[in-house]
Amino acid sequence: MRMDKDILKTPATDVEQILKTALTELGSTKNLDALNDWRIRYLGRKGIVIQLKRSISKLPEKERPKFGQVINETSKTLEEQLMKHETKISSSNDTSVSDDIDITLPGIPINNGSLHPITQTIREICESFSSMGFEIIEGPEVELDYYNFQMLNIPKHHPARDGFNTLWIDKQDDEGETPMLLRTHTSPMQIRTMEKQDPPVRMIVPGKVYRYEATDSSHEWHFSQIEGLAVDQGITFADLKGTLYEFARKLFGDDVKVRFRCDYFPFVEPGAEMAIDWNSRTGDNNKEENWIEILGAGMVHPKVLKAVGYDSNKYTGFAFGIGVERISMLKNNIDDIRLFYNNDVRFLSQF
Ligand code: FA5
């Protein structure tokens, strides 16, 4: 370290020169160790600034205030510059940290996750129907008996209610007009939609439904459906078949074979179920047929049209309800529906 006592020999010491030298030296410090040496040298307990302050008493009395002020300002400037330089060195030139980082190393892979397989299947089905002009809408999962059953031509004590093992929110009583329940199917949205709008109607409704059922490999107590409804003048059963066949081809490929059979739902007449021959997707005609039911459907019952105020002599329509989990199981070769909701990441991360 340079001996600074020489600088302080005379009262005429050029403080300005000291300041200049100090700042130049500060500017050339490149790391925190050098910076600390500088701080001790200029601002330490035995540093130059303290020595300058002590020299004030040796000056003629009238020079003391002015000199004191200059030294205080110099001290302040040095402290401010020290702080600034320290920040600069720490952020940009701290070799103890930056030397440890190898910026050429490949990054750590991030697991981005993916959409749930049922969400993916719902989106795929919705896309196929919106490309045919169907609007996508949603409805409530907590529903009224009125929409879930009564307006769908399933009055109280109708045997068809037994098929929809219902989870009730309100207690059922004989007088109660519209007790609440967890919807057992997406069909109530047929009514809610027709109540709100005049024909033509062309909509699909994806959503969760609930049934008080024991689970097994193909049954869950909560699952997803996609309802469909088209009402207009002149709609026939051929439109129903054509639309659903097109849907099957979009989802499973052009070679897929579909089969319609009679089925019963109180809100359609005639009613049908649609199945696909699972083996036909491969185009291999030698394989035995393997029919799997994927949805219920039918022509909207005139009683339902009348109940919502539509003229059933003028308008006709078709409706369908697709079981989404079953479709996803078929598409992804999944043999147990319960896997979807166990939330095992080893299963889910495959999609
Ligand atoms: C209905 O729910 C009718 N609302 C469908 C309908 C709509 C018919 C419009 C006519 C007109 P169903 O109970 O069959 O029908 O259920 C429809 C589909 O949901 C079934 O084909 C099946 O794929 C699926 N599904 C039914 N129960 C379960 C269950 N417990 N677990 C998983 N999927 C089920």
Side-chain angles (χ1 to χ4, degrees):
M1 189 192 292
R2 203 176 77 197
M3 269 315 291
D4 302 298
K5 285 193 178 117
D6 298 343
I7 308 172
L8 306 170
K9 259 183 203 156
T10 67
T13 299
D14 188 351
V15 180
E16 223 176 89
Q17 183 55 45
I18 294 176
L19 178 63
K20 235 173 155 183
T21 311
L23 292 179
T24 310
E25 285 178 18
L26 180 66
S28 61
T29 53
K30 296 279 181 262
N31 58 46
L32 293 174
D33 286 346
L35 197 70
N36 198 37
D37 287 346
W38 181 94
R39 187 186 59 75
I40 293 167
R41 180 169 148 70
Y42 282 96
L43 298 167
R45 274 190 297 135
K46 293 179 185 165
I48 292 172
V49 171
I50 288 285
Q51 292 178 52
L52 283 169
K53 282 182 181 168
R54 282 188 192 137
S55 72
I56 296 174
S57 60
K58 292 176 192 147
L59 292 174
E61 215 166 296
K62 63 174 185 168
E63 287 179 30
R64 286 179 198 171
K66 177 109 190 1
F67 194 64
Q69 193 191 347
V70 171
I71 292 170
N72 281 341
E73 279 166 14
T74 304
S75 168
K76 205 172 148 212
T77 308
L78 291 178
E79 271 165 19
E80 281 169 6
Q81 291 306 314
L82 170 68
M83 266 163 59
K84 273 192 193 162
H85 202 64
E86 190 170 18
T87 312
K88 199 169 141 198
I89 286 180
S90 306
S91 60
S92 68
N93 203 21
D94 185 351
T95 51
S96 64
V97 175
S98 59
D99 283 355
D100 290 346
I101 298 172
D102 180 354
I103 56 164
T104 63
L105 279 176
I108 299 162
I110 296 169
N111 188 351
N112 279 330
S114 58
L115 291 174
H116 191 277
I118 294 305
T119 308
Q120 291 182 32
T121 307
I122 287 174
R123 290 194 180 181
E124 207 180 333
I125 297 173
C126 286
E127 224 173 274
S128 82
F129 282 105
S130 48
S131 74
M132 292 188 265
F134 284 74
E135 188 189 351
I136 301 166
I137 57 175
E138 287 182 327
E141 291 178 21
V142 176
E143 189 49 283
L144 298 168
D145 178 301
Y146 177 77
Y147 288 113
N148 197 84
F149 291 128
Q150 295 171 39
M151 289 292 279
L152 286 164
N153 198 25
I154 313 177
K156 281 195 163 88
H157 312 300
H158 191 291
R161 287 193 177 214
D162 297 345
F164 296 100
N165 303 308
T166 309
L167 284 155
W168 294 95
I169 303 269
D170 284 342
K171 253 193 185 161
Q172 262 184 299
D173 68 62
D174 285 342
E175 314 306 323
E177 277 305 299
T178 59
M180 295 223 281
L181 45 80
L182 292 180
R183 69 177 173 192
T184 57
H185 52 170
T186 41
S187 300
M189 280 308 289
Q190 290 186 32
I191 307 300
R192 286 183 178 273
T193 306
M194 290 190 284
E195 271 185 350
K196 269 204 213 131
Q197 85 179 71
D198 290 331
V201 174
R202 232 185 314 173
M203 61 93 182
I204 54 165
V205 188
K208 292 293 290 267
V209 302
Y210 304 84
R211 291 188 192 172
Y212 186 51
E213 277 180 7
T215 60
D216 60 30
S217 60
S218 58
H219 292 83
E220 258 293 1
W221 68 270
H222 62 108
F223 55 101
S224 310
Q225 286 190 340
I226 294 189
E227 192 75 11
L229 174 71
V231 183
D232 204 347
Q233 289 188 47
I235 288 192
T236 68
F237 200 83
D239 295 312
L240 179 156
K241 286 181 80 175
T243 305
L244 292 178
Y245 185 31
E246 179 61 14
F247 150 71
R249 287 210 319 221
K250 278 182 193 291
L251 224 72
F252 299 109
D254 282 348
D255 291 331
V256 74
K257 280 202 268 177
V258 303
R259 181 188 72 184
F260 289 90
R261 289 206 306 197
C262 294
D263 203 346
Y264 170 71
F265 302 96
F267 37 97
V268 288
E269 180 57 36
E273 57 140 74
M274 186 175 105
I276 60 166
D277 171 18
W278 191 237
N279 290 336
S280 67
R281 295 168 315 127
T282 57
D284 180 356
N285 292 324
N286 297 324
K287 273 196 182 162
E288 218 177 280
E289 287 172 345
N290 178 17
W291 294 104
I292 294 167
E293 183 208 316
I294 57 166
L295 57 86
M299 298 303 288
V300 182
H301 201 293
K303 277 191 180 171
V304 173
L305 292 174
K306 275 184 206 146
V308 295
Y310 283 11
D311 181 348
S312 62
N313 291 318
K314 190 170 168 192
Y315 296 107
T316 49
F318 64 82
F320 54 87
I322 303 168
V324 178
E325 279 75 5
R326 302 263 173 92
I327 302 258
S328 189
M329 287 170 80
L330 290 171
K331 279 187 76 79
N332 298 305
N333 285 323
I334 296 164
D335 57 7
D336 194 325
I337 194 170
R338 291 166 293 198
L339 287 165
F340 287 122
Y341 301 110
N342 282 347
N343 284 335
D344 186 332
V345 81
R346 288 169 303 179
F347 169 76
L348 295 174
S349 60
Q350 296 175 77
F351 302 95

